[in-house]
Amino acid sequence: MSAGTYEHLSGERHRHDGVEHAHPHRGPHHHHGHDHHHDDHGHSHGLVHDSIKRSREGVRAVLISLAVLAAAAAAQTAIFVLSGSVALLADLIHNFGDALTAVPLGIAFLLRSELAERRAGLFVVAAIFISACVAGVEAVARLVHPHAPDHLAALAAAGGIGYIGNHIAAIVRTRAGRKLDSPALVADGNHARADAYVSLAVIASAAVVAIGLPIADPLIGLGITLVILRITWQSWRTVRGGHRH
């Protein structure tokens, strides 16, 4: 076979370590012993696996929001003992329930389980619904047996505490939920954001009672109950419709 024919069939000739050889095809090629893939080894060199990083960030967001909401709820509890406001009680019950939703979410992130995360989201929805029911019952009971709240300045302060606590928790949860693509955490963040505005209703309750309308306190409590029920529905849709890619 002539050299020209050989060149035509072989395509390209190369020299490696002083030895010339030909490849019977054109385009990219691989030399044995020169290239290998790290993906097949099942580990990353010096890097934290994405699922572990996601787990840590999720747990961190949950713990921060839990600490903030627990502190707010504790302060509100002390003020409720003084004032006896149904509007504050509704907000207080809801804030405690909101803080407790951090437990299943935190466990889900620790387990790095998408299934556990979805179930935690359902637990969040259930907790919101139960808090709405409790708040509603208390508001109706106060309408039947009227009692004007006391310590109105402290009551207004409690509403402010609830607003700040929920607002911070909402920012922490929503940002983390979007970053981690977690519908359950996003739902909990939206829940806390709505709670912040519910807490403002406690301030409104203190104001209307101060001007001589004590019946407004349980009415505002009922209004908060309706808002919580709406949040329940929105959170249900978020959890049911969301999925991680």
Side-chain angles (χ1 to χ4, degrees), residues 10-245:
S10 63
E12 292 182 25
R13 300 179 67 83
H14 300 274
R15 181 178 295 275
H16 294 285
D17 300 324
V19 178
E20 187 178 56
H21 64 279
H23 291 278
H25 61 82
R26 295 183 181 274
H29 59 278
H30 301 281
H31 299 289
H32 297 295
H34 288 290
D35 85 331
H36 59 280
H37 299 279
H38 293 285
D39 295 343
D40 297 329
H41 298 320
H43 64 275
S44 53
H45 299 280
L47 300 175
V48 178
H49 194 278
D50 284 346
S51 66
I52 297 176
K53 287 168 64 178
R54 184 177 187 278
S55 172
R56 288 177 180 172
E57 289 185 33
V59 170
R60 179 175 175 272
V62 166
L63 288 178
I64 291 173
S65 60
L66 172 62
V68 170
L69 288 172
Q76 287 185 319
T77 300
I79 296 172
F80 169 71
V81 172
L82 289 175
S83 68
S85 166
V86 172
L88 176 56
L89 178 61
D91 194 36
L92 173 60
I93 291 169
H94 198 37
N95 285 339
F96 265 123
D98 196 14
L100 289 176
T101 60
V103 176
L105 273 173
I107 293 172
F109 279 113
L110 280 173
L111 294 175
R112 303 203 293 276
S113 166
E114 187 175 343
L115 177 61
E117 207 172 307
R118 284 199 299 268
R119 287 177 176 171
L122 295 176
F123 180 87
V124 168
V125 175
I128 302 170
F129 178 71
I130 291 169
S131 65
C133 293
V134 173
V137 168
E138 289 298 323
V140 171
R142 187 55 60 88
L143 281 171
V144 176
H145 305 287
H147 174 71
D150 302 316
H151 299 84
L152 299 181
L155 178 59
I161 291 169
Y163 174 81
I164 294 170
N166 277 294
H167 187 67
I168 294 173
I171 291 173
V172 172
R173 289 177 176 180
T174 304
R175 283 181 181 173
R178 288 173 180 165
K179 181 179 179 182
L180 303 177
D181 197 11
S182 168
L185 200 50
V186 170
D188 220 17
N190 291 336
H191 173 202
R193 180 172 286 103
D195 286 351
Y197 295 105
V198 169
S199 293
L200 292 180
V202 175
I203 300 176
S205 178
V208 293
V209 171
I211 61 174
L213 294 171
I215 192 67
D217 182 57
L219 289 177
I220 289 175
L222 279 176
I224 291 175
T225 300
L226 294 176
V227 171
I228 299 172
L229 286 172
R230 183 170 180 269
I231 297 166
T232 304
W233 173 245
Q234 291 174 335
S235 298
W236 167 257
R237 292 180 62 186
T238 299
V239 171
R240 291 288 293 174
H243 64 276
R244 290 201 296 111
H245 301 289

